[in-house]
Amino acid sequence: MPIPGPSPSPSPPVALVLRALGLGDLLVAVPALRALRRARPEHRIVLATPAPLAPLVELTGAVDAVLPTTGIDDLRRPPGPAPDLVVNLHGAGPQSHTALDRTGPLARIGFGGVPGWAGPTHAEALAGQPHERELWCAPLEWHAIPTDPLDLRLEPPTRAAPAVVVHPGAAFGAKRWPVERFAAVAAALPGRAPVVVTGSTAERDAARRVAELAGLPADRVLAGRTSVRELCAVVAGAELVVCGDTGVAHLASAFGTPSVVLFGPVGPRRWGPPPGPHVALEHPDARRGDAFADDPDPALLAITVDEVLAATSSVGRE
């Protein structure tokens, strides 16, 4: 009779976390992800998020696997048994809650107000005017999981050569400072370090226009030419980042890179950088407040080139 071998080790329970949004949205969720990692060391944490963000997810040290997901309708259950736990860091519900419920979880963490989901409602959490990092920590705190909203720093695997990063893009027009003003800033900064202009493929024309007006050579335009990993290296190695309220600002915060961030429809109290070598510029009295408008918010347009240049001289790496 054959001698039985050792029993196979049981598979670890799975915690499925949903955050199928953009780069900046992922970065403000890092404190919540790390809190979950500390509280559930026995779980295999799977993050449902867009596949291009996987290199950034790896830097958090809080996630075991990425489940490529472009949005709520794209969410699928990870291979294997149903998740032991689902965590909604994506939305207030009910749509995102319903998508996670379809995976058949045993337990849930997220905002309350939806059947089966215990926790503070999104409105209750917002009432305290939290920073976005604090907002997504709130459901975990409600479930007795201690969090640190300032646990956001990342250590990049590589750093590019020192540069000044000018990033003119943003997801919506309300957060886009005019390219002519970015160009004026870029033209005034080359003495500090080589100026490069970053952005997505969709932002390449704006980046080229900034470079052209600033008198920069074409090879300084990195927009559309960097992967997420390469963009991390550029920002991590930079001497300074000048940008609007967008994902690159959160990258600068994560790597401790000095930054000057221009705020328009939404102020820095909600999305601004943490304490450190960062300056947040805003003119709240001029604010219209429509973050999804096609044209720049009046509060953003109230920020002048001279203000930005003055701010760049006041920041330095920690």
Side-chain angles (χ1 to χ4, degrees):
M1 177 180 295
I3 300 174
S7 300
S9 300
S11 298
V14 170
L16 174 61
V17 184
L18 177 62
R19 187 70 171 173
L21 299 166
L23 185 150
D25 300 291
L26 171 62
L27 289 170
V28 296
V30 166
L33 288 169
R34 286 181 171 160
L36 181 66
R37 173 80 286 165
R38 291 189 296 270
R40 300 289 187 272
E42 74 284 2
H43 279 72
R44 182 172 185 263
I45 297 180
V46 177
L47 178 63
T49 202
L53 296 180
L56 191 58
V57 173
E58 183 179 353
L59 298 181
T60 71
V63 174
D64 297 300
V66 166
L67 180 67
T69 307
T70 58
I72 295 173
D73 295 337
D74 188 41
L75 179 65
R76 301 292 182 268
R77 197 173 90 177
D84 177 73
L85 170 69
V86 292
V87 181
N88 190 348
L89 299 181
H90 183 94
Q95 294 89 344
S96 51
H97 285 16
T98 299
L100 284 165
D101 281 339
R102 287 198 295 264
T103 68
L106 299 178
R108 302 164 177 82
I109 294 177
F111 287 113
V114 175
W117 291 78
T121 67
H122 190 254
E124 289 169 345
L126 282 176
Q129 296 185 322
H131 192 280
E132 196 71 7
R133 293 186 302 270
E134 297 168 329
L135 178 68
W136 294 105
C137 285
L140 279 74
E141 289 279 355
W142 194 94
H143 285 271
I145 297 176
T147 66
D148 178 2
L150 291 178
D151 185 12
L152 73 161
R153 291 290 290 269
L154 304 178
E155 185 62 35
T158 58
R159 295 178 188 268
V164 170
V165 172
V166 173
H167 187 91
F172 298 96
K175 296 185 178 183
R176 293 187 202 124
W177 205 46
V179 294
E180 295 81 7
R181 300 192 198 181
F182 273 114
V185 170
L189 291 175
R192 181 165 180 159
V195 175
V196 298
V197 189
T198 57
S200 66
T201 300
E203 295 163 345
R204 188 180 296 161
D205 287 345
R208 286 173 175 165
R209 182 62 176 158
V210 168
E212 177 186 349
L213 292 174
L216 300 176
D219 62 1
R220 300 281 187 84
V221 177
L222 303 184
R225 297 168 50 200
T226 55
S227 65
V228 167
R229 186 183 297 275
E230 291 166 337
L231 181 61
C232 286
V234 170
V235 173
E239 291 191 7
L240 174 68
V241 172
V242 181
C243 63
D245 174 18
T246 189
V248 165
H250 297 286
L251 270 185
S253 295
F255 296 136
T257 301
S259 65
V260 175
V261 187
L262 287 59
F263 286 87
V266 181
R269 176 67 189 88
R270 179 77 183 271
W271 286 94
H278 314 289
V279 175
L281 295 177
E282 66 164 340
H283 283 274
D285 292 342
R287 181 166 292 144
R288 177 181 57 209
D290 182 358
F292 306 107
D294 293 331
D295 58 319
D297 193 85
L300 186 63
L301 292 177
I303 299 172
T304 67
V305 170
D306 286 344
E307 284 180 288
V308 175
L309 290 175
T312 64
S313 66
S314 67
V315 293
R317 185 175 287 278
E318 294 175 322

